[in-house]
Amino acid sequence: MPTTATASRDRTWELRTREAKLNSTKSSRRLAFLYATVVFLSAFLLFQVQPLIAKCILPWFGGTPAVWTTCMLVFQFLLFGGYAYAHFSSTLLPPRGQAWLHAGLLVAALITLPIAPHDSWKPSGHESPALRIVLLLSISIGLPYFVLSATSPLFPRWFSRTHVGETPYRLYALSNVGSLLALLSYPFAVEPLLATNAQSAVWSVLFALFVVLCGATGWWMVRHSVAEHASDNPSIQRASASVPPAWSDFGLWFGLSMTASTLLLATTNQVCLDVAVVPFLWVLPLALYLLTFILCFDSDRWYSRRVYLPATAVLIVASVALINSGAWAPIVLQIAVFFGMMFGCCMVCHGELAAQKPHPRFLTAYFLTMSAGGAAGGLFVGVLAPLLFVSYNELYFGIFSFIILVWLIRLVEDGARWPLPRWCAVPAVLALLVTLIGFLTQIGRHAPGAVAVARNFYGVLKVEEVQSTQTGEPMRQLCHGRITHGTQFIAPEKRHTPTAYYAKGTGVGQVMRHFKSSQPRRIGIVGLGIGTLAAYGRTFDSFRMYEINPKVIEFAEQRFSFLEDCPAEQIVITGDARLSLEFEPPQEFDVLVLDAFSGDAIPVHLLTQEALDVYLSHLNSDGILACHITNLHFNLKPVLAGLAKRAGLAVQFCHTPPDEQTAALAATWALLARQPSSLADLLNTNSRSTNIGKPVFWTDGRSNLLEVLW
């Protein structure tokens, strides 16, 4: 029989064992909570910094959709770098080595703060904007973004070392929840409440917190890590015996990821082209893109082919119809159809990806392949598409790629026999895509009436010949996307006539004709167009014109004759007008014309208090600031009224209807001056507009186009 002492020792041992197990369970739970906290915070910071840094540099590069696309390209390549680092470090290094290496990167990233880019990065107008954006982002946020992006694949891998037998894929879904919350909070809370410098400061503080938590997690991971070569662990034995993915699996993962990424960026481009370049329209599609990740990787019950394939097919047809309908479709309809189509396609792509996720042993390779596909989609839309296509045809390419992938997946699952040898499958698909690219490169070049078509960083320009709907007279016009930026009669006797938004009866026409015939004038023009305002030039006048798009200057000089026929002195300056004016001595303009808002990619940085201060420094005491604010989707009158009120300026608004006889388009102009007398008796009484609305005041740090949506 056991003695009393022996029984007491056994009881003590049992209590200690239970206590050890309880402590181990508590420690495991605390570590799991720490994993979840760091993954969530890293994803939140990762997707807060994207719209923040893009908004900081958007004014420097003309406010075009390509700025966001180029930023997304950099983000995706940094993401790919982070995933590659996570894969190779977890494969080649032991847990302690990984922890020390990651700690070093965290400290190095902390040293690079703050993230706000320095003013020295502002372009001069002669360099490649895309290359400068890449360099700017790589240096200002490259290392912090790289470290944050590595968290999503690295921490689930660490989790599988410390929590053997538990699935780490829920952490990936949690990271996408953090990303989604970051994106949704930016346009509705962060952007309206905080200026950009305050946003940068708050982000830097949160990043420092992330560094501390991440370092603590690495230390705990080293202490609790289970060696993968432990032969007595059944879970690890099963992992070692699991079948590695085939090359075809990697190819499918890559193709699905690239297609989803292509559709995300191409759809964003399409909507920004027709609506506006604002953070909300960057955030919404990216949020929907992340939502598909959350749903598909949380549970397989959220994705059903029977639901999403038919619905997506209908939305694809509707999207193609909208593309062909022009920019006149309502904003809400465009957003609903285009983003609905993108959501459906991404849901299918990510649903198929989630259905094929491998064993956690191959988790980092799986995520690395997905990030490579995402980066390839960004490379195609951001770099190759502008070189290959003369129109925004990357959306067609993405839709076609989606259809091919769905067909291939169904073909394999249905057991259908491939009619050619197996090695021909990849070349056949590539041949189809190359054929499609060849077809798309020609779309727009030979459209009826097209004289010249060109695409660059700033968008698609088309010169075309049309006929007046009422008089039948031949005319030549310049279109940027679907917005007309100038029209000229072809007939020699009428080609000197100012037309479109600049006809004699418009606000700017009345200003230009108000001066005495013998009075020399200094005229500044922001936004060249086809040079229509040069039709008002006289021998003793001086015109100084600012244009950010070199192709616009080329077309104005070679395809239209307003500049050639103008007897006044002319100087055309390439680059962003505000940046150019900031570095110039006072020009003492009699009239400074702002003609950069008739399109729907509104350069907000030209409508802020800081911008107005620059303009006023170049106007003489009696000078007039004439702003062309005709716009399909945005009512800019409150913005000009707010700026005028804050600066103590007189302001008048002028709206004129279209006139087919003179080829005048409906035009709205805002005229601002220091002295009310400068605007007295300037406008016809019947052209003055009094319906202004509540004034809105914008600064460089705080602006929101949603405030002035029609």
Side-chain angles (χ1 to χ4, degrees):
M1 285 183 68
T3 64
T4 303
T6 302
S8 177
R9 285 196 302 270
D10 291 345
R11 179 63 177 169
T12 301
W13 176 258
E14 182 180 350
L15 290 174
R16 288 179 177 176
T17 302
R18 288 181 180 179
E19 184 178 358
K21 289 182 178 180
L22 182 61
N23 290 337
S24 176
T25 302
K26 290 181 178 178
S27 177
S28 177
R29 289 176 180 174
R30 285 197 295 266
L31 182 55
F33 179 77
L34 197 55
Y35 279 128
T37 302
V38 174
V39 167
F40 179 88
L41 182 58
S42 69
F44 185 86
L45 291 173
L46 197 69
F47 282 84
Q48 273 281 312
V49 77
Q50 290 185 9
L52 165 59
I53 200 72
K55 185 176 181 181
C56 285
I57 68 171
L58 186 69
W60 298 356
F61 299 93
T64 68
V67 175
W68 175 245
T69 303
T70 307
C71 288
M72 282 299 297
L73 172 63
V74 177
F75 297 149
Q76 287 176 319
F77 267 88
L78 288 173
L79 189 72
F80 172 70
Y83 277 47
Y85 157 76
H87 172 69
F88 290 111
S89 63
S90 61
T91 303
L92 302 176
L93 295 177
R96 187 177 298 275
Q98 294 177 50
W100 279 109
L101 175 61
H102 204 60
L105 287 175
L106 288 170
V107 173
L110 200 58
I111 294 173
T112 65
L113 299 180
I115 58 170
H118 193 267
D119 286 352
S120 61
W121 281 103
K122 289 183 178 181
S124 63
H126 302 289
E127 63 279 277
S128 167
L131 178 60
R132 196 165 186 85
I133 291 173
V134 171
L135 293 174
L136 184 160
L137 294 182
S138 300
I139 292 175
S140 61
I141 66 163
L143 193 54
Y145 197 95
F146 174 86
V147 172
L148 288 169
S149 64
T151 307
S152 183
L154 186 63
F155 272 52
R157 186 73 178 101
W158 286 1
F159 181 89
S160 65
R161 287 179 179 273
T162 57
H163 296 73
V164 178
E166 299 183 39
T167 177
Y169 284 103
R170 298 299 289 271
L171 285 177
Y172 186 68
L174 179 64
S175 73
N176 285 293
V177 172
S179 303
L180 182 61
L181 288 177
L183 286 173
L184 293 179
S185 65
Y186 188 84
F188 300 112
V190 176
E191 186 185 21
L193 298 178
L194 297 176
T196 50
N197 56 348
Q199 295 174 31
S200 175
V202 172
W203 191 93
S204 298
V205 171
L206 290 176
F207 183 81
L209 175 63
F210 161 77
V211 169
V212 173
L213 293 177
C214 197
T217 308
W219 180 75
W220 275 71
M221 183 273 296
V222 172
R223 292 190 59 191
H224 295 82
S225 179
V226 178
E228 290 192 329
H229 58 269
S231 58
D232 58 341
N233 191 310
S235 298
I236 294 176
Q237 289 177 357
R238 287 194 297 270
S240 301
S242 59
V243 179
W247 283 107
S248 59
D249 295 324
F250 285 105
L252 187 58
W253 298 343
F254 181 89
L256 289 168
S257 300
M258 180 178 175
T259 299
S261 174
T262 299
L263 286 167
L264 164 67
L265 296 175
T267 307
T268 305
N269 261 357
Q270 183 69 40
V271 174
C272 285
L273 172 69
D274 288 339
V275 181
V277 187
V278 292
F280 173 72
L281 293 180
W282 309 333
V283 164
L284 180 58
L286 195 53
L288 292 173
Y289 178 82
L290 289 173
L291 181 60
T292 62
F293 269 115
I294 294 170
L295 295 176
C296 294
F297 282 86
D298 177 69
S299 172
D300 56 7
R301 69 177 181 271
W302 296 112
Y303 169 65
S304 170
R305 286 183 185 173
R306 296 179 62 183
V307 174
Y308 280 99
L309 284 179
T312 303
V314 172
L315 287 168
I316 286 175
V317 173
S319 298
V320 174
L322 256 188
I323 292 173
N324 296 324
S325 71
W328 299 98
I331 290 179
V332 175
L333 178 63
Q334 293 188 56
I335 291 175
V337 172
F338 283 123
F339 290 160
M341 180 273 295
M342 186 215 73
F343 176 81
C345 290
C346 290
M347 195 70 187
V348 172
C349 290
H350 295 153
E352 299 298 333
L353 271 172
Q356 300 185 40
K357 56 182 180 286
H359 190 277
R361 179 188 176 194
F362 311 106
L363 178 146
T364 54
Y366 175 66
F367 287 145
L368 178 61
T369 306
M370 289 170 56
S371 66
L379 182 66
F380 177 79
V381 176
V383 177
L384 295 180
L387 298 176
L388 294 171
F389 306 141
V390 294
S391 298
Y392 285 103
N393 292 325
E394 47 267 41
L395 185 56
Y396 288 117
F397 178 86
I399 291 172
F400 189 77
S401 300
F402 172 79
I403 294 171
I404 288 180
L405 280 173
V406 171
W407 174 71
L408 284 176
I409 292 172
R410 295 301 301 269
L411 188 70
V412 172
E413 290 186 354
D414 293 344
R417 182 180 176 83
W418 179 257
L420 300 173
R422 186 171 297 178
W423 62 267
C424 292
V426 173
V429 172
L430 290 177
L432 282 174
L433 295 178
V434 170
T435 301
L436 177 66
I437 289 175
F439 172 72
L440 293 178
T441 56
Q442 300 305 314
I443 290 182
R445 295 183 189 273
H446 308 295
V451 175
V453 182
R455 178 179 178 179
N456 61 7
F457 181 83
Y458 301 101
V460 177
L461 291 172
K462 181 190 294 184
V463 179
E464 55 187 5
E465 292 186 355
V466 296
Q467 287 187 333
S468 171
T469 56
Q470 184 169 344
T471 64
E473 295 181 80
M475 306 174 68
R476 181 170 289 185
Q477 66 183 17
L478 175 68
C479 296
H480 185 191
R482 299 190 185 94
I483 305 299
T484 301
H485 283 284
T487 304
Q488 184 177 27
F489 287 106
I490 295 178
E493 67 275 8
K494 298 191 68 174
R495 73 178 193 176
H496 303 284
T497 305
T499 60
Y501 312 106
Y502 322 99
K504 294 179 180 179
T506 62
V508 73
Q510 295 180 58
V511 169
M512 299 296 279
R513 293 187 299 127
H514 181 71
F515 291 87
K516 296 178 181 179
S517 59
S518 60
Q519 180 182 353
R521 301 172 300 177
R522 288 186 58 81
I523 309 295
I525 301 174
V526 174
L528 176 63
I530 64 173
T532 309
L533 287 174
Y536 292 101
R538 300 170 302 189
T539 305
F540 36 79
D541 292 337
S542 175
F543 279 70
R544 193 173 182 88
M545 309 173 191
Y546 303 86
E547 175 56 52
I548 194 172
N549 191 342
K551 275 293 177 184
V552 170
I553 300 174
E554 179 184 324
F555 282 169
E557 293 176 343
Q558 298 179 3
R559 304 291 179 175
F560 300 88
S561 64
F562 284 121
L563 296 180
E564 179 184 350
D565 297 339
C566 178
E569 177 190 10
Q570 303 170 43
I571 299 176
V572 180
I573 299 170
T574 305
D576 182 83
R578 177 175 162 181
L579 294 179
S580 299
L581 288 167
E582 285 178 359
F583 293 106
E584 292 180 356
Q587 296 297 317
E588 294 295 321
F589 291 128
D590 295 292
V591 180
L592 178 57
V593 179
L594 301 184
D595 184 26
F597 314 117
S598 58
D600 297 309
I602 301 295
V604 173
H605 68 293
L606 298 181
L607 287 172
T608 64
Q609 177 187 7
E610 294 82 356
L612 181 62
D613 291 340
V614 173
Y615 306 146
L616 293 178
S617 69
H618 290 279
L619 280 175
N620 61 34
S621 58
D622 295 322
I624 296 173
L625 181 65
C627 304
H628 181 204
I629 55 174
T630 308
N631 197 275
L632 285 174
H633 303 304
F634 297 98
N635 176 19
L636 298 178
K637 290 180 184 178
V639 179
L640 274 301
L643 290 174
K645 181 179 180 180
R646 185 64 62 96
L649 303 177
V651 60
Q652 289 188 10
F653 294 93
C654 172
H655 178 76
T656 51
D659 183 354
E660 284 287 348
Q661 293 294 333
T662 60
L665 300 175
T668 302
W669 287 83
L671 307 180
L672 291 79
R674 290 187 177 92
Q675 305 296 332
S677 58
S678 300
L679 302 179
D681 301 324
L682 188 65
L683 299 177
N684 297 329
T685 304
N686 58 358
S687 68
R688 294 181 182 178
S689 176
T690 57
N691 184 17
I692 298 172
K694 183 180 178 180
V696 172
F697 181 68
W698 286 349
T699 66
D700 283 348
R702 187 170 296 172
S703 61
N704 191 347
L705 269 172
L706 297 181
E707 296 176 298
V708 292
L709 195 65
W710 278 113

